[in-house]
Amino acid sequence: MIELKTPKEIASMKVAGRFVGSILKELQETTKVGTNLLEIDDLVRRRIESRKGAESCYVDYAPDFGTGPFKHYICVSVNDAVLHGVPYDYNLKDGDLVSLDLAISVDGWCGDSAVSFVVGKDPDPEDIALIKCTEEALAAGIAAAQPGNRLGDVSAAVGDVAHEHGYTVNMEFGGHGIGHVMHGDPFVPNDGKAGHGYKLRPGLTIAIEPWFMKTTDEIYQDAKDGWTLRSSDGSNGAHSEHTIAITDNGPEILTVRE
């Protein structure tokens, strides 16, 4: 069921969104060559525990697309890991492409956002291009999220950017409704037909999250942890995401990284 939020409820979601955004900004500034993935997870744990009313949306989360409850505070996906990456004992190397996906509830309202970047001094230009494509696709999807438009306009805007850059789009996972729960209706695929689907109304809150891989749109689940999704051909992936609200004045990003 799709629930529309009041302006007061959107303001409450903004609190959660800015908290998520602040942590992702901190992580992007501090994650470097030699950083251990478990250190990233522990920093998020400490930030959540220090914030009154904050709870992880990931710890003990057990949807049907994972194997058992998730036991960490953030998803950290490196190189060919593209989504739902489980933090483990690994020190980042020069040139690693890192995607951080974080969802936190504050006083019962959720914020969800993701960012990708390369650590070190020798980034692969193709990785940088891939990351920029997800960022451009996210911006295009947000711009299309105008009241009166259709959900398909958002999906088509995201997919058009991917295709313009020569990437194909996986349709198994995408954006989603968000509010009191992290994942709700409607599903927001990363490709679609403009002019089709649910009519966007003020009060709708969704997470838009383009994620693409260099040379494939096929994935598999890593049997080692039962969660991490990897590209089928070993090529790198990138992921960008914001939680937004549809308002009378257009889309508003709730997970700004101040």
Side-chain angles (χ1 to χ4, degrees):
M1 184 175 68
I2 298 174
E3 295 183 354
L4 302 181
K5 316 301 189 301
T6 66
K8 183 178 180 180
E9 289 172 330
I10 290 173
S12 296
M13 287 188 66
K14 190 183 298 184
V15 173
R18 286 180 171 171
F19 184 49
V20 168
S22 69
I23 295 174
L24 285 179
K25 181 181 179 182
E26 178 182 4
L27 287 171
Q28 191 168 6
E29 292 172 347
T30 59
T31 300
K32 58 187 184 299
V33 174
T35 298
N36 191 284
L37 305 190
L38 295 176
E39 293 175 7
I40 296 173
D41 190 53
D42 188 61
L43 184 148
V44 177
R45 176 190 62 79
R46 288 185 280 112
R47 294 292 178 269
I48 292 173
E49 290 179 350
S50 68
R51 176 67 178 259
K52 182 179 179 181
E55 295 182 4
S56 171
C57 292
Y58 291 159
V59 174
D60 292 332
Y61 185 52
D64 57 8
F65 55 77
T67 303
F70 198 80
K71 293 297 183 182
H72 295 270
Y73 293 82
I74 188 170
C75 291
V76 185
S77 303
V78 180
N79 295 329
D80 68 313
V82 292
L83 290 176
H84 309 162
V86 176
Y88 64 102
D89 185 12
Y90 173 77
N91 296 321
L92 291 170
K93 297 179 174 60
D94 191 7
D96 277 344
L97 195 167
V98 183
S99 297
L100 304 177
D101 188 359
L102 179 62
I104 297 172
S105 170
V106 178
D107 296 327
W109 292 101
C110 299
D112 189 2
S113 187
V115 63
S116 293
F117 52 92
V118 178
V119 297
K121 299 180 180 179
D122 189 27
D124 185 333
E126 291 186 0
D127 285 342
I128 299 300
L130 179 65
I131 292 169
K132 287 184 176 179
C133 180
T134 65
E135 294 171 343
E136 290 176 16
L138 177 58
I142 293 172
Q146 303 289 337
N149 279 359
R150 300 282 177 173
L151 196 62
D153 295 317
V154 176
S155 296
V158 171
D160 285 349
V161 173
H163 300 313
E164 287 168 6
H165 288 267
Y167 302 114
T168 55
V169 180
N170 179 287
M171 299 290 282
E172 296 175 67
F173 296 92
H176 50 87
I178 183 171
H180 283 302
V181 296
M182 173 176 53
H183 289 149
D185 293 328
F187 177 60
V188 187
N190 285 324
D191 202 1
K193 293 183 178 180
H196 290 251
Y198 180 80
K199 186 176 182 179
L200 304 181
R201 297 167 172 81
L204 178 68
T205 51
I206 56 175
I208 302 174
E209 51 178 314
W211 61 278
F212 312 131
M213 297 168 284
K214 280 185 184 178
T215 53
T216 186
D217 58 13
E218 297 182 359
I219 53 176
Y220 71 94
Q221 189 177 77
D222 193 328
K224 292 180 180 178
D225 59 45
W227 276 93
T228 302
L229 296 177
R230 298 184 179 276
S231 64
S232 63
D233 64 358
S235 62
N236 285 355
H239 180 197
S240 295
E241 178 182 14
H242 271 309
T243 296
I244 71 164
I246 312 299
T247 76
D248 290 323
N249 298 319
E252 179 179 5
I253 298 173
L254 305 183
T255 46
V256 291
R257 297 173 196 140
E258 297 178 338

